[in-house]
Amino acid sequence: MMKELRLESVQIAYGAKTVLEKIDLTVQGGEIICLIGASGCGKSTLLNAVAGLVPIRSGSIVLNDSPVVGPAADRVMVFQDDAVFPWMKVRDNIEFGLKVKRIPPAERQRIVEEKLAAVELTHAANLYPRELSGGMRKRVDLARALAVSPQMILMDEPYGALDAMTKERLQVQFLKVCEETNATSLFVTHDIEEALFLGDRIVVLGRNPGHIAHIINVPFGDNRSIELKRSAEFQQLRGEVSDLIH
């Protein structure tokens, strides 16, 4: 189980251009931290650095007391674009990472059935991705990420291309799955409502170069439902976050 992710004085640069500077952030196990900010502020760059896909120029990224020096199975990413293998059935997509880890067949089957149920896709286990809706394919992405028991799930605008109703259904399901599995997530989004609905905390990044401008503790507790978005308190906080970004 994840204990802590620490980013200390992280700087990321491409040549002479500093993209992110003085990033200090601690994420506790079980937290959902949403990264939000104007385009070009470095949200995805920061996520990729935690994934080990982008090198840092200075500072440190430490997960459970071990420095992050590259990609590893303890961190998985879910992108906006579908990452399912189109030639594999849903069940096989979810099982893929378990085969790579050489999990015994009986244990693989147990885990696959568990994750299918978690994302409500048991009925679609033997379908191909082309037979699924966009929202269902995102659920396959999430189930495949959860199957390998990562320390962190790194979400890069995973629901950005979906319609509003599908997005809301997946947001509710994401919260449910994270609660059931005690998953820890860094979640990049442009959607203020999504950040407020999902996040335990919201990290607002500023630009030129990217930096942490504000950290907001979200006051809505657990067991959130879509009705929360219609509340006066939610909409007031949405306006305040919007002002901070702009």
Side-chain angles (χ1 to χ4, degrees), residues 91-223:
R91 179 185 304 279
D92 299 325
N93 265 282
I94 297 170
E95 189 180 17
F96 178 80
L98 299 172
K99 286 183 175 180
V100 172
K101 293 180 71 173
R102 299 184 179 179
I103 303 298
E107 179 67 2
R108 291 203 308 262
Q109 181 176 351
R110 183 194 68 78
I111 294 171
V112 169
E113 295 300 331
E114 178 184 275
K115 301 314 175 189
L116 281 167
V119 299
E120 300 176 6
L121 283 178
T122 300
H123 67 286
N126 293 313
L127 298 181
Y128 287 96
R130 65 178 177 272
E131 301 175 276
L132 307 178
S133 67
M136 292 172 76
R137 289 195 296 273
K138 298 315 298 180
R139 284 190 271 163
V140 177
D141 277 343
L142 179 58
R144 186 169 62 183
L146 290 167
V148 295
S149 300
Q151 298 290 315
M152 294 197 72
I153 305 173
L154 306 176
M155 308 284 277
D156 195 359
E157 298 190 72
Y159 308 143
L162 302 175
D163 65 88
M165 290 183 64
T166 300
K167 180 187 289 191
E168 287 195 334
R169 286 198 299 270
L170 291 179
Q171 289 167 355
V172 170
Q173 188 171 65
F174 180 73
L175 284 179
K176 178 175 178 286
V177 169
C178 286
E179 181 179 358
E180 291 175 349
T181 61
N182 199 36
T184 307
S185 182
L186 277 180
F187 195 114
V188 168
T189 179
H190 277 103
D191 186 334
I192 297 173
E193 284 197 355
E194 182 167 69
L196 284 171
F197 185 69
L198 296 179
D200 295 302
R201 289 185 289 156
I202 296 174
V203 175
V204 180
L205 296 182
R207 291 188 292 183
N208 301 318
H211 61 281
I212 294 178
H214 306 277
I215 297 180
I216 300 161
N217 293 314
V218 179
F220 303 128
D222 300 326
N223 302 315

Side-chain angles (χ1 to χ4, degrees), residues 12-13 17 47 54-55 57 65 68-69 78 85 92 102 105 119 142 158 162 164 166-167 180 192 219 224 232 236:
I12 298 173
K17 180 177 175 59
L47 196 74
V54 171
R57 175 162 291 181
D65 300 321
V68 170
V69 294
V78 177
F85 299 127
D92 299 325
R102 299 184 179 179
V119 299
L142 179 58
L162 302 175
T166 300
K167 180 187 289 191
E180 291 175 349
I192 297 173
R224 302 175 192 182
Q236 179 179 342

